[in-house]
Amino acid sequence: MRSAARVPTATARAGARTEPPARRTDPAPAATAPAEAPADEPPARRTDPASTATAPAEVRADEPPARRTAPVSAADLLAKVRTCVPVSRGRYREDHGAKATVPVCGTRDAVFWKADMDIDCDGRPGLRCNARTDPYFSSSTAFAQSDGRPLSSEETPYVVVPAPSAVWNHRSHGVRGGSVVAVVYRDRVRYGVVGDTGPAGIIGEASYAMAESLGIDPDPRSGGTPSGVTYIVFKDSRVTPIEDRRAAVTAGERLARRFVDTDG
Protein backbone atom coordinates (compact mmCIF):
# COMPACT_ATOMS: atom_id res chain seq x y z
CA MET A 1 0.00 0.00 0.00
CA ARG A 2 1.39 3.36 -0.92
CA SER A 3 1.62 5.74 2.00
CA ALA A 4 3.38 8.97 2.88
CA ALA A 5 6.38 6.90 3.89
CA ARG A 6 6.67 5.40 0.41
CA VAL A 7 9.13 7.10 -1.89
CA PRO A 8 7.86 8.08 -5.37
CA THR A 9 8.48 5.86 -8.36
CA ALA A 10 11.64 6.79 -10.24
CA THR A 11 10.36 7.35 -13.75
CA ALA A 12 12.03 9.04 -16.80
CA ARG A 13 13.93 8.83 -16.00
CA ALA A 14 14.24 10.00 -19.03
CA GLY A 15 -3.21 -23.92 -37.51
CA ALA A 16 -2.32 -24.75 -40.21
CA ARG A 17 -5.73 -25.59 -41.64
CA THR A 18 -6.29 -29.17 -42.73
CA GLU A 19 -8.04 -29.05 -46.11
CA PRO A 20 -10.89 -31.57 -46.64
CA PRO A 21 -10.11 -34.48 -48.97
CA ALA A 22 -10.64 -33.68 -52.65
CA ARG A 23 -14.16 -34.46 -53.77
CA ARG A 24 -14.55 -37.30 -56.26
CA THR A 25 -15.46 -35.88 -59.62
CA ASP A 26 -16.17 -39.16 -61.41
CA PRO A 27 -19.28 -40.78 -59.88
CA ALA A 28 -19.08 -44.51 -59.15
CA PRO A 29 -21.01 -46.80 -61.52
CA ALA A 30 -24.49 -47.31 -60.19
CA ALA A 31 -24.87 -51.07 -60.53
CA THR A 32 -21.36 -52.45 -60.48
CA ALA A 33 -18.92 -53.08 -57.64
CA PRO A 34 -15.67 -51.12 -57.63
CA ALA A 35 -12.80 -52.83 -59.40
CA GLU A 36 -10.58 -54.82 -57.09
CA ALA A 37 -7.11 -53.44 -56.63
CA PRO A 38 -4.31 -55.55 -58.06
CA ALA A 39 -2.68 -57.78 -55.48
CA ASP A 40 0.68 -56.16 -56.04
CA GLU A 41 -0.61 -52.62 -55.58
CA PRO A 42 0.96 -50.78 -52.62
CA PRO A 43 -1.42 -50.73 -49.63
CA ALA A 44 -1.28 -46.92 -49.38
CA ARG A 45 -3.07 -46.57 -52.71
CA ARG A 46 -5.97 -48.66 -51.48
CA THR A 47 -6.79 -46.31 -48.63
CA ASP A 48 -9.35 -43.58 -48.74
CA PRO A 49 -7.75 -40.17 -49.33
CA ALA A 50 -9.09 -38.88 -46.02
CA SER A 51 -7.05 -41.40 -44.07
CA THR A 52 -3.80 -39.89 -45.32
CA ALA A 53 -4.49 -36.45 -43.87
CA THR A 54 -2.02 -35.50 -41.13
CA ALA A 55 -2.60 -33.51 -37.97
CA PRO A 56 -1.25 -29.94 -37.77
CA ALA A 57 2.45 -29.89 -36.91
CA GLU A 58 1.96 -27.96 -33.69
CA VAL A 59 -0.31 -30.55 -32.11
CA ARG A 60 1.61 -33.18 -30.18
CA ALA A 61 0.11 -36.63 -30.46
CA ASP A 62 0.98 -37.47 -26.86
CA GLU A 63 -0.45 -34.25 -25.41
CA PRO A 64 -3.71 -34.68 -23.45
CA PRO A 65 -6.45 -32.83 -25.38
CA ALA A 66 -7.55 -30.81 -22.33
CA ARG A 67 -4.06 -29.36 -21.91
CA ARG A 68 -4.04 -27.99 -25.44
CA THR A 69 -6.73 -25.44 -24.72
CA ALA A 70 -7.01 -25.09 -20.96
CA PRO A 71 -5.62 -21.77 -19.68
CA VAL A 72 -2.73 -21.80 -17.26
CA SER A 73 -4.07 -21.52 -13.73
CA ALA A 74 -2.71 -19.64 -10.74
CA ALA A 75 -1.91 -23.01 -9.15
CA ASP A 76 0.03 -24.08 -12.24
CA LEU A 77 2.24 -20.99 -12.10
CA LEU A 78 2.70 -20.98 -8.33
CA ALA A 79 3.85 -24.61 -8.47
CA LYS A 80 6.60 -23.59 -10.88
CA VAL A 81 7.87 -20.80 -8.63
CA ARG A 82 7.62 -22.63 -5.33
CA THR A 83 11.41 -22.79 -4.98
CA CYS A 84 13.56 -19.66 -5.13
CA VAL A 85 17.03 -19.68 -6.64
CA PRO A 86 18.13 -16.06 -6.01
CA VAL A 87 19.51 -14.08 -8.93
CA SER A 88 19.72 -10.82 -6.98
CA ARG A 89 22.75 -10.15 -4.79
CA GLY A 90 20.57 -9.07 -1.93
CA ARG A 91 16.97 -8.45 -0.96
CA TYR A 92 14.46 -5.65 -1.50
CA ARG A 93 12.15 -3.71 0.78
CA GLU A 94 8.44 -3.71 0.03
CA ASP A 95 8.10 -0.18 1.40
CA HIS A 96 10.43 2.59 2.43
CA GLY A 97 11.70 1.92 5.96
CA ALA A 98 10.69 -1.75 5.97
CA LYS A 99 13.13 -4.62 6.30
CA ALA A 100 14.66 -6.00 3.11
CA THR A 101 13.08 -9.44 2.78
CA VAL A 102 12.29 -9.99 -0.91
CA PRO A 103 14.81 -11.67 -3.25
CA VAL A 104 14.51 -11.77 -7.02
CA CYS A 105 14.52 -15.44 -8.02
CA GLY A 106 15.23 -17.04 -11.36
CA THR A 107 14.71 -20.04 -13.60
CA ARG A 108 15.98 -20.70 -17.09
CA ASP A 109 12.99 -18.92 -18.64
CA ALA A 110 11.85 -16.33 -16.10
CA VAL A 111 12.61 -14.19 -13.08
CA PHE A 112 10.08 -13.75 -10.28
CA TRP A 113 9.45 -12.26 -6.87
CA LYS A 114 6.71 -12.45 -4.25
CA ALA A 115 5.73 -9.21 -2.56
CA ASP A 116 2.99 -6.71 -1.87
CA MET A 117 1.41 -4.49 -4.50
CA ASP A 118 1.55 -0.72 -4.33
CA ILE A 119 -0.21 1.31 -7.01
CA ASP A 120 1.90 3.15 -9.57
CA CYS A 121 -0.39 5.80 -11.06
CA ASP A 122 2.38 7.46 -13.08
CA GLY A 123 2.20 8.24 -16.78
CA ARG A 124 -0.37 10.06 -18.87
CA PRO A 125 -2.82 11.85 -16.57
CA GLY A 126 -6.37 10.54 -16.49
CA LEU A 127 -9.48 10.76 -14.34
CA ARG A 128 -8.07 8.38 -11.71
CA CYS A 129 -4.33 8.95 -12.01
CA ASN A 130 -3.23 12.56 -11.75
CA ALA A 131 -1.60 15.02 -9.39
CA ARG A 132 -4.83 15.45 -7.41
CA THR A 133 -5.45 11.75 -6.79
CA ASP A 134 -1.83 10.72 -6.20
CA PRO A 135 0.54 12.81 -4.06
CA TYR A 136 3.54 11.11 -5.73
CA PHE A 137 2.22 11.41 -9.28
CA SER A 138 4.71 11.71 -12.14
CA SER A 139 3.49 12.37 -15.68
CA SER A 140 6.21 10.17 -17.17
CA THR A 141 7.11 6.49 -17.21
CA ALA A 142 10.50 4.91 -17.80
CA PHE A 143 9.24 3.29 -20.99
CA ALA A 144 7.11 5.09 -23.58
CA GLN A 145 4.41 3.74 -25.81
CA SER A 146 4.70 3.55 -29.60
CA ASP A 147 3.70 7.17 -30.21
CA GLY A 148 6.33 8.46 -27.80
CA ARG A 149 3.89 9.37 -25.04
CA PRO A 150 4.17 7.94 -21.51
CA LEU A 151 2.14 4.85 -20.71
CA SER A 152 -1.27 5.23 -19.11
CA SER A 153 -1.52 3.51 -15.73
CA GLU A 154 -5.30 3.46 -16.11
CA GLU A 155 -5.20 1.68 -19.48
CA THR A 156 -2.04 -0.45 -19.54
CA PRO A 157 -1.54 -3.36 -17.13
CA TYR A 158 2.12 -3.00 -16.26
CA VAL A 159 4.49 -3.80 -13.42
CA VAL A 160 7.38 -1.80 -12.01
CA VAL A 161 10.90 -3.19 -11.70
CA PRO A 162 13.53 -1.67 -9.40
CA ALA A 163 16.04 0.63 -11.06
CA PRO A 164 19.36 -1.13 -11.77
CA SER A 165 21.64 -1.32 -8.76
CA ALA A 166 24.29 -3.51 -7.13
CA VAL A 167 21.43 -5.64 -5.80
CA TRP A 168 20.02 -6.52 -9.22
CA ASN A 169 20.12 -5.23 -12.77
CA HIS A 170 17.02 -6.39 -14.61
CA ARG A 171 18.65 -5.79 -18.00
CA SER A 172 21.28 -8.46 -17.33
CA HIS A 173 18.50 -11.05 -16.98
CA GLY A 174 16.63 -10.39 -20.22
CA VAL A 175 14.13 -7.94 -18.72
CA ARG A 176 13.33 -4.62 -20.40
CA GLY A 177 10.47 -2.31 -21.18
CA GLY A 178 7.71 -4.35 -22.79
CA SER A 179 8.83 -7.68 -21.33
CA VAL A 180 5.84 -9.97 -20.81
CA VAL A 181 4.73 -10.53 -17.22
CA ALA A 182 2.26 -12.81 -15.47
CA VAL A 183 0.92 -11.55 -12.15
CA VAL A 184 -0.77 -14.00 -9.79
CA TYR A 185 -3.03 -12.98 -6.92
CA ARG A 186 -5.17 -15.56 -5.15
CA ASP A 187 -6.75 -17.61 -7.95
CA ARG A 188 -6.30 -14.98 -10.65
CA VAL A 189 -3.65 -14.70 -13.36
CA ARG A 190 -3.32 -11.54 -15.40
CA TYR A 191 -0.83 -10.66 -18.14
CA GLY A 192 0.87 -7.38 -18.89
CA VAL A 193 4.25 -5.79 -19.49
CA VAL A 194 7.16 -4.22 -17.67
CA GLY A 195 6.23 -0.55 -17.93
CA ASP A 196 8.16 1.48 -15.40
CA THR A 197 11.12 1.47 -13.03
CA GLY A 198 11.02 2.34 -9.36
CA PRO A 199 13.38 3.07 -6.47
CA ALA A 200 16.51 0.93 -6.50
CA GLY A 201 15.79 -0.63 -3.10
CA ILE A 202 12.02 -1.26 -3.30
CA ILE A 203 9.97 -3.90 -5.11
CA GLY A 204 6.26 -4.74 -5.44
CA GLU A 205 4.37 -2.22 -7.56
CA ALA A 206 2.02 -2.26 -10.54
CA SER A 207 -0.28 0.01 -12.51
CA TYR A 208 -3.86 0.99 -11.76
CA ALA A 209 -5.05 -1.22 -14.65
CA MET A 210 -3.12 -4.26 -13.43
CA ALA A 211 -4.41 -3.94 -9.86
CA GLU A 212 -7.98 -3.44 -11.05
CA SER A 213 -7.83 -6.53 -13.28
CA LEU A 214 -6.73 -8.64 -10.30
CA GLY A 215 -9.50 -7.40 -8.04
CA ILE A 216 -7.09 -5.33 -5.93
CA ASP A 217 -8.16 -1.84 -4.88
CA PRO A 218 -6.38 0.41 -7.44
CA ASP A 219 -6.69 3.68 -5.52
CA PRO A 220 -3.20 5.28 -5.48
CA ARG A 221 -3.66 6.64 -1.94
CA SER A 222 -5.36 3.79 -0.10
CA GLY A 223 -5.30 0.83 -2.48
CA GLY A 224 -2.96 -2.05 -3.10
CA THR A 225 -2.48 -5.14 -0.97
CA PRO A 226 0.14 -5.85 1.71
CA SER A 227 1.11 -9.34 0.51
CA GLY A 228 0.31 -12.34 -1.63
CA VAL A 229 1.27 -11.14 -5.11
CA THR A 230 3.62 -13.11 -7.37
CA TYR A 231 5.28 -11.36 -10.29
CA ILE A 232 6.74 -13.51 -13.10
CA VAL A 233 8.67 -11.88 -15.94
CA PHE A 234 9.50 -14.01 -18.98
CA LYS A 235 13.09 -13.50 -20.09
CA ASP A 236 13.87 -12.07 -23.53
CA SER A 237 10.20 -11.49 -24.32
CA ARG A 238 8.67 -8.30 -25.64
CA VAL A 239 5.28 -6.89 -26.59
CA THR A 240 5.27 -4.48 -29.53
CA PRO A 241 3.68 -2.02 -29.28
CA ILE A 242 4.08 -1.99 -25.52
CA GLU A 243 0.57 -0.61 -24.96
CA ASP A 244 -1.20 -3.44 -26.87
CA ARG A 245 -3.15 -5.24 -24.13
CA ARG A 246 -4.41 -8.00 -26.42
CA ALA A 247 -0.86 -8.75 -27.62
CA ALA A 248 0.32 -8.94 -24.01
CA VAL A 249 -2.39 -11.47 -23.15
CA THR A 250 -1.72 -13.57 -26.26
CA ALA A 251 2.03 -13.66 -25.62
CA GLY A 252 1.51 -14.18 -21.89
CA GLU A 253 -0.75 -17.19 -22.33
CA ARG A 254 1.70 -18.78 -24.76
CA LEU A 255 4.77 -18.14 -22.60
CA ALA A 256 3.01 -19.24 -19.42
CA ARG A 257 1.95 -22.52 -21.02
CA ARG A 258 5.51 -23.18 -22.18
CA PHE A 259 6.83 -22.21 -18.74
CA VAL A 260 4.64 -24.65 -16.80
CA ASP A 261 5.08 -27.48 -19.33
CA THR A 262 8.88 -27.24 -19.41
CA ASP A 263 10.95 -29.26 -16.98
CA GLY A 264 13.44 -27.37 -14.83
Side-chain angles (χ1 to χ4, degrees):
M1 177 180 297
R2 179 173 290 197
S3 66
R6 176 68 185 263
V7 297
T9 299
T11 54
R13 305 180 296 219
R17 190 183 73 173
T18 302
E19 294 291 343
R23 294 172 51 194
R24 293 181 70 166
T25 56
D26 53 330
T32 60
E36 182 177 350
D40 59 348
E41 183 176 359
R45 291 184 57 191
R46 300 177 189 169
T47 60
D48 185 89
S51 67
T52 64
T54 57
E58 65 271 16
V59 178
R60 283 174 26 203
D62 60 346
E63 184 178 5
R67 291 179 65 90
R68 295 175 190 161
T69 56
V72 175
S73 69
D76 291 333
L77 286 168
L78 292 177
K80 289 292 291 188
V81 298
R82 183 179 296 117
T83 302
C84 175
V85 176
V87 295
S88 58
R89 292 188 176 93
R91 296 172 180 255
Y92 286 94
R93 296 177 174 85
E94 293 179 308
D95 293 290
H96 182 68
K99 291 182 178 180
T101 60
V102 181
V104 176
C105 313
T107 71
R108 182 179 61 189
D109 300 315
V111 295
F112 63 92
W113 56 94
K114 302 176 182 182
D116 66 343
M117 180 181 285
D118 293 315
I119 309 303
D120 180 4
C121 238
D122 294 344
R124 279 198 336 272
L127 292 175
R128 300 171 182 83
C129 290
N130 54 62
R132 295 186 304 277
T133 61
D134 183 0
Y136 301 112
F137 178 76
S138 171
S139 60
S140 61
T141 50
F143 309 108
Q145 59 183 38
S146 56
D147 60 5
R149 295 187 297 167
L151 296 174
S152 166
S153 178
E154 296 178 25
E155 299 174 3
T156 305
Y158 68 75
V159 303
V160 180
V161 294
S165 69
V167 176
W168 182 56
N169 184 342
H170 59 272
R171 292 189 291 254
S172 65
H173 288 86
V175 176
R176 55 186 171 173
S179 287
V180 182
V181 302
V183 183
V184 182
Y185 178 67
R186 295 179 178 171
D187 61 349
R188 296 187 179 186
V189 179
R190 297 293 182 266
Y191 300 102
V193 295
V194 171
D196 205 357
T197 58
I202 294 177
I203 205 166
E205 194 169 3
S207 69
Y208 187 105
M210 179 61 81
E212 187 175 46
S213 71
L214 287 163
I216 295 172
D217 182 356
D219 187 276
R221 288 180 182 269
S222 60
T225 186
S227 64
V229 183
T230 300
Y231 304 79
I232 304 170
V233 186
F234 300 106
K235 295 179 179 179
D236 301 314
S237 62
R238 192 171 194 175
V239 172
T240 304
I242 190 173
E243 69 272 17
D244 191 332
R245 293 185 67 161
R246 181 175 296 179
V249 171
T250 299
E253 290 175 340
R254 173 176 54 83
L255 290 167
R257 170 53 63 195
R258 185 172 70 183
F259 181 58
V260 302
D261 285 350
T262 300
D263 293 334

